Amino acid sequence: MLRDLRRIWAQALAIALVLGCGIMVLVGAQATQSTLIQTQAAYYERHRFADVFAGATRAPEDVVQAAALIPGVAQAEGRISFQAVLDIAGMAEPATGRILSLPAAGPALNLPLVRRGRLPDPDRPDEVALAEPFAEIHGLVPGSRLRGVLNGQLRELTVTGWVLSPEFIYTMPPGAMMPDDRRYALIWMTDAAAAAAMDMAGAVNEIAVRLARDGDERAVIAALDRLLDPYGGTGAYGRDRQVSHAFLDGELQQLGAMAAFMPPIFLLIAAFLVNMVLGRLITMERAQIGLMKALGYGRADIAWHYLKLALLIGVIGVLAGWGFGWWIADAMIGLYGDFFRFPFIIRDWGTQALVISAILGIATAGLGGLRAVWSSLKLPPAEAMQPPAPPSFARGWADRVLTRIRLRQTTMMIFRSIIRWPGRAVITLFGVSASVGVLVMSYFMFDAVERLADSVFQQANRQQVTLMLAHAQSDAAVQDALTLPGVLHAEGAYAMPVRAVHGHRNRLTALQGHFPDAELARLVDDAGRVVEPGASGLILPEMLARALDIRAGQVLRLEMMAPPRAILNLPVAEIIPQGMGQEAHIAAAALFDAMGSAPQVNMIHLSVQSDRMDDLNAAIKETPAVAGLSDWAEVRRQFDATLSENLLTMVGIYTLIGVLIAIGVVYNAARIQLSERSYELASLRVLGFSRAEVGYVLVGELMLLTALAIPLGWGFGYWLALGLVGAMSTDMFQIPFHITRRTFALAALAVFLAALGSVMMVRRRLDRIDLATALKARD
Amino acid sequence: MVHDSSPLPVFRAEGVTRVYKTGTVEVWALRGVDLRLAEGEMVVLLGASGSGKSTLVNILGGLDLPSGGRVFFRDRELTQASDRQLTAFRRDHVGFVFQFYNLVPSLTARENVALVTEIARNPMTPEEALDRVGLAHRMDHFPAEMSGGEQQRVAIARAIAKRPDVLLCDEPTGALDSKTGIQVLEALHEVNRDLGTATVLITHNAAIQRIAHRVVVLADGRVIRDDANAERVLPAQVSW
Ligand SMILES: Nc1ncnc2c1ncn2[C@@H]1O[C@H](COP(=O)(O)OP(=O)(O)OP(=O)(O)O)[C@@H](O)[C@H]1O
Ligand SMILES: [Mg+2]
């Protein structure tokens, strides 16, 4: 067996690598997924992550006790939470902070984990603890100071420590698309200090509860909503709507999709390859097999001899897959560490995936081998000892056509070989198109993200800065904004958190009021069309409409979650495709008409001279009417930086995988061709054909198949990408499905080059054939 | 046509040696062979198995290079030629016929011949070449559909279609019975006679030597006999 293995080691290795790729994805994704799941579970448990969350404008402290008494609730905790603008030394633009109060008795839910220093002292109202990522970036070690505008008052705050919390494993600033650790801070402050700053003594505006073991989440949410309704409740929600948890869960779902989606393709190809290579090996050893049979070896002995080889390939593939899988899991967990802040990692090796992948991998190789072995066993010994009959070439219709068009004979050889062994051609076609497909799918991720970025930054949000106003104001505020330094153009907007209710379904979302002729912030659908809300009625993105089970023409109830707390019943005018969209839209005129109030704005979008951003930032730090600011250019920079790093890693891995399949398939096909036809090809050299001309017969056939496989692979990739979109879309967002020509071209190019490289490697062997020897030995 | 009357022979080999090294063992396949082949001459090469016949013919045909000595084709020294030049030499000047035909199985008889006529400088048509070996009626058959003798005649047609200057045949009748063997020899004989192609014919069959102008016998890598035949016979008169 070792002798056989030595003979076909390069081919065996190529197969093992393809097999290994499948196993690598399976083990890598599974190990990452289970590591994250276990880490998440342990973190939630140890730090008592709450199950249901609710907000209100201002509720008396005793609602917390009332909440704890709701059936199904094990524990309840209240706190004060509000936004603040921060002025950090060394940073021109203001940062935004979310202040969270720490109960005087010490937190019982969502326990902050002190990573450095200590929590603030109840006797020192100016002490705060910061979320570790923000503090780390700005070097705000315990003892450092920062300035913040809290409730319109400028305050000097002292840092006491760095903190992580299970509530903020993933931190998204409000209204942002990506985490922004530099410009968004979480700040823990003692209850007394927060209450004093916000005039909220004896009151809370957020409640978190932990469910009893048999607690019914839906019932608790409903009860909390009823409880908080008099106090301006903004709607209770479960973990599924908690930003940090929802993102982490979405990511875990995507990993699961990857583990289920990709490996079968590789395993199938590997099975075909084992079959092809072993089949060839057995053909070459017919005589030996016949001899063994004649000597009285049983079929089982012979079958076992070759099957061992297949299984060995399986074992190598599995081991390689495990190794690479762990390596990838490490890399991915590292990447996730940039987004998801865990204080610790409980590494899981994906034992289950290891077992499954070992079984799948070895079974794949074994099944591929079994088929090849089977056909050889059927031969009676006498026939097996004869050399195989020369292949006969039938004259089908295809052949008549080929003869008619008077090709060069070397080209004719290529076509005849394909027609004579269609099964092999199909395997090559299938394998190469699969690798094109994998590449199309992976490059498609770039397309999707670019499209998202384009839609968000180029089409929808063309403003450089958005100011969040502390309170809604008349549209005169827009004129005032024009006087800020560097502002070229200002545009008002009105956004309001709402609960959308249709039948028994409801969703927490936001309602956006659009003023006519907006130039900066516009509503854009997935096709890039700018949608102008009509005179009346709502515009909903598809996903929201689906979640609410509502169609155009039906009426949607919107309950505003902040003052003026109006309840509106509005007809849905249009449903638009918008992958990133979660919000309801309406023309400002229609909105204020329905509310029966004068037009107002609570956001102002600005276009700003780029060289005057610093002046603007400085001015805004001093403007109490502004509660927050988004710098879209900065958001875009962050978005690009984070995504390009992550995507490059992922795309690199997939490219490697796609290219490995192409190499595995084409290299094996070429080696088999070479071993079967070396005699024939050497004959051509004897007749005076040059190396290049002879190489053409070998290279030409495989490259022709590769060329044919590319369009098939495009189709396959299209289908894979569609599947990926389905598997990866979460409640939070949907990946836009649009594949660019660049993706198709790149995938084709990469596979073409990989195939060419593989054939050329085999061609070099062909070039080295010693003519005199080749002619002497038949096979 | 006497072997040394021509001032410039087709082939001239001087002190050709060929050593095969397998591991530490050295096998001397040729130990200093001198040989000339005149224009239009037909030479039969005899010798025991392992005496170096194939090695010599492969070197003459540019398939192999000697370890020592010099080989000339007309005024060109093959022993100085590059791989590219040897390929061109085979393409333009040499026709090979081997014991096992070496046809391309995926091409019909006509296509096998066309393979060569497509790259030759001044070829005959595949039809003419096949007609010469008496196979006009089997042109569209694949090798697997033909007898050994027919396949060998296709190989000859393919070798002569380019109108080569020399024809090198390594046991062309080795795999054939005597009747088909004679048909093959007749084809070779006619080509030599009608086209004046210088021919070297390796055989184990001493009976065949009588159809040649000259007989060269190798033993243990040396020429031990080199005699002109006083009288030639036609292949049809040979029997074994
Ligand atoms: N590639 C090779 N490697 C090692 N030795 C070789 C090789 N080719 C030939 N020989 C040796 O060189 C010697 C001459 O071989 P060659 O094939 O020329 O003999 P031959 O006269 O053609 O024999 P036959 O009549 O059996 O064909 C033999 O001893 C053979 O074993
Ligand atoms: Mg020989």
Side-chain angles (χ1 to χ4, degrees):
Chain A
M1 184 174 79
L2 284 177
R3 192 174 52 87
D4 287 338
L5 189 65
R6 202 170 312 137
R7 179 132 47 107
I8 58 164
W9 72 266
Q11 287 163 273
L13 188 69
I15 300 171
L17 283 178
V18 173
L19 189 64
C21 279
I23 298 200
M24 167 180 87
V25 176
L26 185 68
V27 170
Q30 278 261 349
T32 310
Q33 194 191 20
S34 56
T35 294
L36 293 182
I37 287 179
Q38 295 200 19
T39 305
Q40 178 194 34
Y43 192 17
Y44 282 1
E45 192 50 44
R46 288 183 208 168
H47 289 265
R48 311 186 60 79
F49 182 50
D51 295 304
V52 176
F53 309 81
T57 312
R58 180 195 180 99
E61 242 166 13
D62 52 16
V63 295
V64 179
Q65 271 82 55
L69 294 176
I70 293 174
V73 170
Q75 215 172 1
E77 185 173 273
R79 72 178 170 199
I80 301 167
S81 156
F82 56 95
Q83 302 287 337
V85 176
L86 305 176
D87 182 7
I88 306 297
M91 190 164 109
E93 71 270 35
T96 312
R98 180 170 169 201
I99 310 252
L100 304 159
S101 73
L102 292 162
L109 292 178
N110 303 323
L111 310 184
L113 176 85
V114 180
R115 302 271 287 173
R116 190 167 173 181
R118 56 171 173 84
L119 289 179
D121 185 333
D123 296 331
R124 298 197 185 149
D126 288 334
E127 284 190 352
V128 293
L130 296 179
E132 183 179 65
F134 179 84
E136 204 169 48
I137 286 178
H138 296 289
L140 292 168
V141 296
S144 311
R145 288 162 173 272
L146 67 155
R147 301 195 313 157
V149 180
L150 277 59
N151 197 21
Q153 276 184 304
L154 189 65
R155 292 269 298 272
E156 185 101 349
L157 302 169
T158 305
V159 179
T160 61
W162 295 4
V163 159
L164 286 177
S165 158
E167 231 184 319
F168 302 103
I169 296 172
Y170 185 86
T171 314
M172 277 270 264
M177 298 175 47
M178 299 280 291
D180 185 353
D181 289 339
R182 202 171 84 86
R183 295 159 19 86
Y184 185 67
L186 294 161
I187 301 168
W188 281 264
M189 185 175 243
T190 63
D191 210 20
M198 293 304 288
D199 298 324
M200 292 265 288
V204 296
N205 63 4
E206 282 189 4
I207 290 182
V209 310
R210 203 169 158 84
L211 294 177
R213 191 155 302 157
D214 54 355
D216 174 6
E217 184 181 292
R218 282 227 234 156
V220 170
I221 288 175
L224 269 175
D225 279 346
R226 275 194 304 277
L227 179 68
L228 291 175
D229 194 46
Y231 310 112
T234 54
Y237 52 92
R239 283 181 179 178
D240 58 331
R241 298 261 186 287
Q242 203 266 349
V243 172
S244 165
H245 179 87
F247 267 91
L248 185 51
D249 253 21
E251 205 57 49
L252 292 173
Q253 184 189 335
Q254 293 179 7
L255 282 171
M258 193 160 98
F261 206 63
M262 307 274 309
I265 304 170
F266 298 99
L267 298 184
L268 200 60
I269 296 171
F272 278 125
L273 288 180
V274 170
N275 181 253
M276 212 161 80
V277 169
L278 228 55
R280 171 65 199 149
L281 183 71
I282 288 168
T283 314
M284 291 196 297
E285 299 200 342
R286 283 161 62 103
Q288 201 191 331
I289 294 175
L291 192 65
M292 283 167 79
K293 276 191 182 168
L295 290 177
Y297 281 93
R299 290 178 170 203
D301 301 321
I302 299 169
W304 178 233
H305 173 79
Y306 289 101
L307 217 48
K308 269 192 298 191
L309 199 63
L311 295 180
L312 188 67
I313 293 176
V315 169
I316 296 173
V318 167
L319 291 178
W322 283 1
F324 281 117
W326 284 330
W327 175 69
I328 281 194
D330 265 339
M332 294 217 293
I333 290 167
L335 276 182
Y336 283 127
D338 291 346
F339 286 107
F340 297 115
R341 290 302 186 132
F342 291 107
F344 53 83
I345 291 285
I346 298 176
R347 191 76 168 81
D348 187 287
W349 296 102
T351 321
Q352 195 193 347
L354 293 187
V355 173
I356 293 176
S357 67
I359 293 171
L360 282 180
I362 291 170
T364 298
L367 282 180
L370 213 53
R371 236 194 55 115
V373 169
W374 192 250
S375 58
S376 77
L377 291 183
K378 288 186 303 199
L379 285 176
E383 195 182 316
M385 282 193 284
Q386 302 288 316
S392 60
F393 289 84
R395 295 179 194 77
W397 61 267
D399 205 85
R400 281 196 291 277
V401 173
L402 288 174
T403 317
R404 194 72 51 78
I405 50 181
R406 304 201 147 268
L407 299 165
R408 288 213 129 215
Q409 300 312 323
T410 37
T411 308
M412 197 69 177
M413 290 170 72
I414 291 177
F415 281 109
R416 287 250 170 79
S417 161
I418 293 176
I419 295 171
R420 176 65 184 74
W421 287 280
R424 276 188 203 167
V426 166
I427 291 175
T428 308
L429 275 179
F430 172 69
V432 174
S433 57
S435 71
V436 174
V438 168
L439 290 186
V440 166
M441 183 193 72
S442 63
Y443 296 155
F444 153 73
M445 294 195 272
F446 263 125
D447 293 344
V449 165
E450 243 169 45
R451 187 143 178 119
L452 275 181
D454 179 65
S455 145
V456 170
F457 296 109
Q458 239 86 57
Q459 306 289 329
N461 296 291
R462 306 198 291 185
Q463 68 274 32
Q464 277 95 47
V465 171
T466 296
L467 302 179
M468 257 72 78
L469 303 185
H471 307 283
Q473 299 180 29
S474 80
D475 48 11
V478 180
Q479 299 304 316
D480 297 347
L482 276 173
T483 64
L484 287 167
V487 172
L488 299 171
H489 185 76
E491 210 170 85
Y494 186 84
M496 177 61 64
V498 292
R499 180 194 294 280
V501 185
H502 179 244
H504 62 277
R505 304 207 184 197
N506 71 77
R507 271 291 164 120
L508 290 174
T509 172
L511 177 65
Q512 299 274 2
H514 293 264
F515 288 89
D517 305 323
E519 296 266 304
L520 299 175
R522 304 179 301 174
L523 177 58
V524 178
D525 71 8
D526 280 348
R529 186 176 64 104
V530 175
V531 183
E532 278 285 349
S536 70
L538 294 165
I539 296 180
L540 301 183
E542 267 168 1
M543 273 210 296
L544 183 59
R546 213 175 305 133
L548 292 166
D549 192 23
I550 197 168
R551 275 173 297 281
Q554 294 182 306
V555 172
L556 184 65
R557 177 183 163 93
L558 295 173
E559 304 166 2
M560 291 194 175
M561 301 310 232
R565 305 203 168 276
I567 292 175
L568 308 174
N569 285 296
L570 295 166
V572 175
E574 195 182 349
I575 290 168
I576 57 168
Q578 202 193 17
M580 287 292 282
Q582 296 291 329
E583 300 174 338
H585 302 267
I586 189 169
L591 172 63
F592 295 112
D593 203 34
M595 288 167 66
S597 72
Q600 289 185 318
V601 298
N602 60 10
M603 284 192 315
I604 299 177
H605 304 300
L606 303 176
S607 77
V608 183
Q609 268 171 270
S610 52
D611 55 345
R612 301 209 52 198
M613 273 306 290
D614 288 353
D615 298 339
L616 179 68
N617 283 325
I620 284 169
K621 282 181 191 171
E622 323 264 277
T623 310
V626 176
L629 164 152
S630 308
D631 178 344
W632 288 86
E634 182 60 28
V635 172
R636 171 95 216 227
R637 255 194 303 282
Q638 293 259 344
F639 182 88
D640 287 348
T642 323
L643 273 166
S644 60
E645 182 193 333
N646 289 303
L647 272 185
L648 271 180
T649 312
M650 295 308 291
V651 166
I653 291 172
Y654 279 117
T655 304
L656 181 76
I657 289 172
V659 165
L660 274 182
I661 306 182
I663 292 175
V665 170
V666 175
Y667 181 78
N668 270 305
R671 281 297 298 273
I672 287 175
Q673 287 277 356
L674 179 67
S675 77
E676 281 183 1
R677 301 175 77 180
S678 60
Y679 185 71
E680 184 181 328
L681 297 177
S683 300
L684 292 184
R685 290 277 287 132
V686 170
L687 293 177
F689 283 81
S690 69
R691 287 192 169 136
E693 285 164 333
V694 176
Y696 164 76
V697 177
L698 183 78
V699 176
E701 174 171 344
L702 289 161
M703 292 320 286
L704 175 68
L705 289 174
T706 300
L708 289 176
I710 284 172
L712 285 178
W714 286 339
F716 189 48
Y718 184 90
W719 179 77
L720 282 178
L722 205 59
L724 189 76
V725 165
M728 292 207 167
S729 289
T730 64
D731 266 7
M732 307 296 274
F733 82 132
Q734 190 166 9
I735 300 173
F737 186 68
H738 171 80
I739 307 179
T740 60
R741 290 210 196 110
R742 184 193 58 185
T743 287
F744 285 125
L746 278 180
L749 186 70
V751 169
F752 193 85
L753 291 180
L756 192 63
S758 317
V759 203
M760 288 320 249
M761 246 154 55
V762 177
R763 210 204 104 172
R764 280 202 7 232
R765 282 174 175 265
L766 176 63
D767 288 347
R768 284 199 302 259
I769 284 183
D770 177 51
L771 292 181
T773 320
L775 289 175
K776 211 178 303 173
R778 289 223 72 163
D779 213 324
Chain B
M1 285 185 205
V2 183
H3 69 279
D4 46 7
S5 65
S6 169
L8 191 61
V10 183
F11 279 125
R12 183 157 53 94
E14 293 173 353
V16 170
T17 60
R18 180 68 170 92
V19 188
Y20 290 108
K21 293 196 182 74
T22 35
T24 52
V25 189
E26 283 193 351
V27 178
W28 285 75
L30 297 175
R31 297 169 186 270
V33 170
D34 297 317
L35 188 77
R36 280 160 174 259
L37 181 68
E39 297 284 356
E41 195 179 23
M42 178 182 262
V43 168
V44 161
L45 200 55
L46 287 173
S49 187
S51 55
K53 305 181 295 292
S54 298
T55 305
L56 177 60
V57 161
N58 286 346
I59 289 173
L60 292 179
L63 292 177
D64 195 5
L65 287 172
S67 314
R70 305 191 336 151
V71 178
F72 293 90
F73 170 74
R74 296 198 172 130
D75 53 353
R76 274 201 272 158
E77 187 175 352
L78 295 182
T79 30
Q80 295 289 322
S82 66
D83 182 79
R84 191 180 292 269
Q85 288 167 324
L86 285 179
T87 301
F89 163 66
R90 291 197 298 270
R91 174 188 296 220
D92 296 334
H93 303 288
V94 190
F96 285 101
V97 180
F98 296 97
Q99 183 177 0
F100 293 110
Y101 332 131
N102 282 39
L103 298 179
V104 175
S106 59
L107 299 179
T108 62
R110 186 209 308 263
E111 289 163 347
N112 260 287
V113 180
L115 192 61
V116 166
T117 58
E118 278 173 1
I119 60 166
R121 278 189 194 155
N122 175 29
M124 42 181 110
T125 61
E127 290 76 12
E128 186 190 343
L130 285 165
D131 194 32
R132 251 178 206 290
V133 297
L135 282 178
H137 59 296
R138 315 231 49 178
M139 281 202 275
D140 291 320
H141 288 245
F142 286 104
E145 298 164 339
M146 288 187 279
S147 73
E150 285 168 336
Q151 289 184 56
Q152 192 60 293
R153 282 187 284 157
V154 175
I156 294 171
R158 187 177 67 180
I160 62 168
K162 67 170 90 156
R163 303 181 203 276
D165 297 300
V166 285
L167 201 52
L168 302 174
C169 313
D170 194 343
E171 300 188 44
T173 60
L176 304 175
D177 65 31
S178 76
K179 189 160 157 283
T180 34
I182 286 165
Q183 286 177 346
V184 164
L185 291 179
E186 277 176 333
L188 290 173
H189 187 263
E190 279 164 25
V191 168
N192 173 254
R193 183 191 64 204
D194 301 345
L195 304 177
T197 312
T199 304
V200 177
L201 181 74
I202 296 180
T203 180
H204 275 282
N205 191 332
I208 291 174
Q209 62 181 294
R210 292 163 58 215
I211 70 167
H213 294 113
R214 196 154 63 95
V215 180
V216 174
V217 181
L218 286 188
D220 202 15
R222 287 198 182 86
V223 176
I224 54 163
R225 212 184 96 196
D226 186 346
D227 292 335
N229 269 339
E231 90 185 273
R232 292 174 73 194
V233 299
L234 291 174
Q237 293 163 288
V238 180
S239 68
W240 64 87

